[in-house]
Amino acid sequence: MTPNRILLTGAAGRLGSLLRQSFAGRFELFRLSDVAPMGAAGEGEEIVACDLADAAAVQSLCEGVDAIIHLGGIPYETGWPELLQSNIVGTINLYEGARRAGVDRVIFASSNHATGMHPNDRILSGESPPRPDSRYGLTKAIGEDVAALYAYKHGIRSLSLRIGSCLPKPDNKRALSTWLSHGDFVRLVQVGLTADYIHEIVYGVSRNTRSWWDNSAAYRLGYEPQDDAEVYAAEVEAIELGTDLARNYQGGNFVPDEFSGRKEWLG
Ligand code: NAI
Ligand code: 15L
């Protein structure tokens, strides 16, 4: 089944705006939701302001759609109260709303920061265990587990994307490994909307020569990235992150931030 009635959360954000533009006019219904202003509805669009932390509002938000692209949430490190509400309660509300509404599938924007404490001389895959580098990264690891619960227990197809650095182009040496081009992001979400899966975790990354991630699971689903950050190597290679921890661990600057651990435990 190709879903034709889609809910996009986080629609006012950077990646949400990109999908809104890229998918304009493609679906019978494109329901856009956020707490931030989203402008006027275009053809086929429905605009619904909704706080993901409000379970009842999220329940109605999920009614009548086949698929959900769940980008809404806080995308950076901050305090527990905010992250708890927007990212953890918000994601639970979203999947519970999807279950009650009989939604076929959810694509969840996880993050590479769910695995950011792994050294960057190690190749990870979607099956690698979380090693969050922040409270933010932990909210994404929990979101992946929520996805597994609703897939295996409640029959909602769930695809979690551990997104790297989704930018117009890489902006430093780390991004030569973590970059996800805008075009490849749209391609990956398109695969998520149509591919046959039950529960998968893949990385949101382009076909980077220096990638730290084995994304063969995404390729099996039909993802064919077109971009490689290496094209920008000469431009950004000299732009290095400032500390050893940031340079040597996958989460970059999230790793030294508030770090009070033992470096020798990190491997
Ligand atoms: P963004 O901050 O531009 O967009 C997120 C949107 O979520 C915002 O418009 C915000 O208003 C909305 N939001 C936050 N809390 C909410 C709540 N309680 N209820 C309803 N809406 C709420 O972030 P961006 O960059 O577009 O990221 C989208 C998703 O992708 C996020 O979940 C982020 O964690 C994830 N991601 C993004 C990466 C990137 O490179 N941009 C990398 C890894 C993950
Ligand atoms: C993320 O999860 C953030 O949302 C984004 O702003 C970048 O920091 C990205 O990861 C990254 O690791 O580059």
Side-chain angles (χ1 to χ4, degrees):
M1 182 186 81
T2 302
N4 215 8
R5 299 174 66 82
I6 313 288
L7 165 63
L8 172 66
T9 71
R14 293 172 295 184
L15 303 192
S17 304
L18 171 66
L19 291 187
R20 181 181 184 180
Q21 195 181 17
S22 305
F23 290 149
R26 288 267 291 279
F27 309 119
E28 180 189 311
L29 170 70
F30 200 16
R31 183 175 295 156
L32 308 172
S33 184
D34 206 299
V35 275
M38 289 165 279
E43 207 183 324
E45 290 181 350
E46 199 179 284
I47 305 278
V48 185
C50 174
D51 185 343
L52 289 162
D54 179 342
V58 173
Q59 177 59 64
S60 359
L61 188 66
C62 295
E63 296 292 343
V65 299
D66 315 313
I68 300 175
I69 307 166
H70 178 41
L71 307 185
I74 296 171
Y76 49 79
E77 182 65 329
T78 185
W80 279 122
E82 305 91 307
L83 285 166
L84 199 56
Q85 288 308 310
S86 288
N87 291 21
I88 300 180
V89 173
T91 297
I92 291 169
N93 286 344
L94 194 281
Y95 274 89
E96 183 58 16
R99 179 183 75 81
R100 290 172 186 237
V103 173
D104 176 64
R105 62 183 64 208
V106 175
I107 301 167
F108 166 58
S110 181
S111 168
N112 72 90
H113 296 289
T115 51
M117 294 302 280
H118 287 285
N120 57 20
D121 61 3
R122 200 164 291 173
I123 299 294
L124 305 182
S125 75
E127 293 189 350
S128 301
R131 210 188 257 196
D133 57 26
S134 50
R135 292 178 288 277
Y136 163 66
L138 177 61
T139 68
K140 296 302 186 179
I142 290 171
E144 292 176 358
D145 278 351
V146 174
L149 171 69
Y150 280 85
Y152 292 117
K153 180 109 182 177
H154 300 301
I156 298 180
R157 291 177 207 285
S158 295
L159 179 65
S160 295
L161 312 178
R162 288 177 176 168
I163 301 172
S165 309
C166 192
L167 301 165
K169 57 183 202 168
D171 56 357
N172 57 35
K173 186 175 177 190
R174 171 177 179 268
L176 294 175
S177 301
T178 61
W179 187 51
L180 173 63
S181 71
H182 283 176
D184 285 341
F185 175 59
V186 174
R187 280 182 270 278
L188 184 56
V189 171
Q190 180 65 46
V191 165
L193 288 175
T194 50
D196 188 15
Y197 54 83
I198 298 167
H199 172 256
E200 292 280 352
I201 302 172
V202 302
Y203 279 85
V205 66
S206 286
R207 204 184 285 276
N208 301 332
T209 303
R210 304 187 197 193
S211 178
W212 300 323
W213 306 317
D214 169 359
N215 221 9
S216 42
Y219 297 166
R220 271 199 303 281
L221 294 178
Y223 175 48
E224 292 182 2
Q226 304 294 307
D227 296 307
D228 182 344
E230 207 58 25
V231 171
Y232 299 96
E235 221 176 293
V236 299
E237 185 138 37
I239 308 171
E240 288 236 46
L241 301 185
T243 66
D244 281 355
L245 278 175
R247 281 194 293 273
N248 295 329
Y249 291 86
Q250 301 203 357
N253 285 332
F254 283 65
V255 177
D257 182 36
E258 298 183 38
F259 184 78
S260 60
R262 301 186 186 186
K263 288 185 184 176
E264 67 273 18
W265 283 9
L266 300 184

